[in-house]
Amino acid sequence: MQSSATYLANLYQEKGDLHYEGEGVTQLTHAWQCGQLAKAQGASPQLQLAAWLHDIGHLLSKKEGTPKIYGHDDRHEHVGGNYLLSIFSEEVGQPVLMHVLAKRYLVTSYPDYRKSLSSDSIRSLELQGGAMSENECSQFMALPYAKDAVSLRTWDDCAKNPDLKTPTKADVIAELLNLAMECQ
Ligand SMILES: [Fe+2]
Ligand SMILES: [Fe+2]
């Protein structure tokens, strides 16, 4: 039987070249860049894997593109987070499940954060519920894995650099496979 790690590697092999709409990078490049940022910050293997796979919901859903394209919230964080919770620990799945909430938290808590978002991310923010209230921010930060989700979110926002040199697709997929096997 195919292992979950192999399934994930095959999924990115097959669909990783999909353009990350509005961002100038592919899904695989975005995943890789996010994972590298997590690694550079000394994140645990589980949080690194969460960073790599935070947008897997886009690949698992039938729809291509982002909310900007089809005009409603695709809830990709739920599709991806719940899938990952079915095969990995909460350390992997929860930050993925919470990475959209983390954006809504950061917009309220750090006024300059909104300015740093790409236009597509601002557009999707409104579709995802907009900025949190102060009360929602407090409740969010009290949740387990909220800090990890906020870290993941900051890497996510920086992982859209079209000019960063990426290793070959085969090397990137092999790196993902090794990390996923380590976290199984
Ligand atoms: Fe996302
Ligand atoms: Fe992302």
Side-chain angles (χ1 to χ4, degrees):
M1 196 179 91
Q2 188 184 48
S3 75
S4 301
T6 307
Y7 172 79
L8 290 171
N10 288 342
L11 183 66
Y12 278 84
Q13 180 71 40
E14 234 177 78
K15 295 191 172 179
D17 294 330
L18 285 175
H19 188 58
Y20 195 111
E21 205 60 55
E23 304 292 4
V25 289
T26 65
Q27 289 286 346
L28 182 60
T29 304
H30 179 53
W32 179 78
Q33 287 188 12
C34 199
Q36 300 313 301
L37 290 164
K39 190 176 179 180
Q41 294 280 310
S44 67
Q46 289 76 15
L47 187 52
Q48 286 181 46
L49 187 62
W52 270 86
L53 300 177
H54 72 278
D55 279 337
I56 193 173
H58 287 310
L59 302 191
L60 292 169
S61 91
K62 298 273 185 271
K63 294 189 179 74
E64 294 185 8
T66 69
K68 186 178 181 182
I69 303 304
Y70 37 85
H72 66 85
D73 181 13
D74 63 349
R75 295 173 61 81
H76 73 283
E77 73 278 24
H78 292 276
V79 174
N82 287 325
Y83 172 72
L84 293 172
L85 282 172
S86 73
I87 50 177
F88 296 107
S89 66
E90 296 216 320
E91 290 169 273
V92 178
Q94 288 294 349
V96 173
L97 202 55
M98 296 162 76
H99 81 277
V100 169
L101 287 175
K103 176 167 73 167
R104 297 181 55 215
Y105 161 80
L106 284 165
V107 167
T108 302
S109 302
Y110 299 91
D112 285 343
Y113 175 76
R114 183 189 283 266
K115 293 182 207 153
S116 75
L117 292 174
S118 64
S119 54
D120 193 68
S121 209
I122 288 171
R123 160 82 177 163
S124 58
L125 170 70
E126 299 314 318
L127 295 169
Q128 290 158 342
M132 283 182 176
S133 67
E134 295 291 342
N135 193 31
E136 286 172 326
C137 283
S138 305
Q139 288 176 4
F140 171 71
M141 283 312 287
L143 295 172
Y145 304 103
K147 280 187 181 164
D148 283 351
V150 169
S151 296
L152 193 161
R153 187 72 224 184
T154 58
W155 301 324
D156 180 9
D157 295 322
C158 295
K160 299 168 181 175
N161 182 352
D163 301 320
L164 197 67
K165 196 165 164 22
T166 311
T168 65
K169 186 175 178 182
D171 285 346
V172 171
I173 299 277
E175 193 177 339
L176 172 60
L177 182 59
N178 284 338
L179 184 60
M181 286 170 67
E182 187 181 345
C183 294
Q184 264 184 333

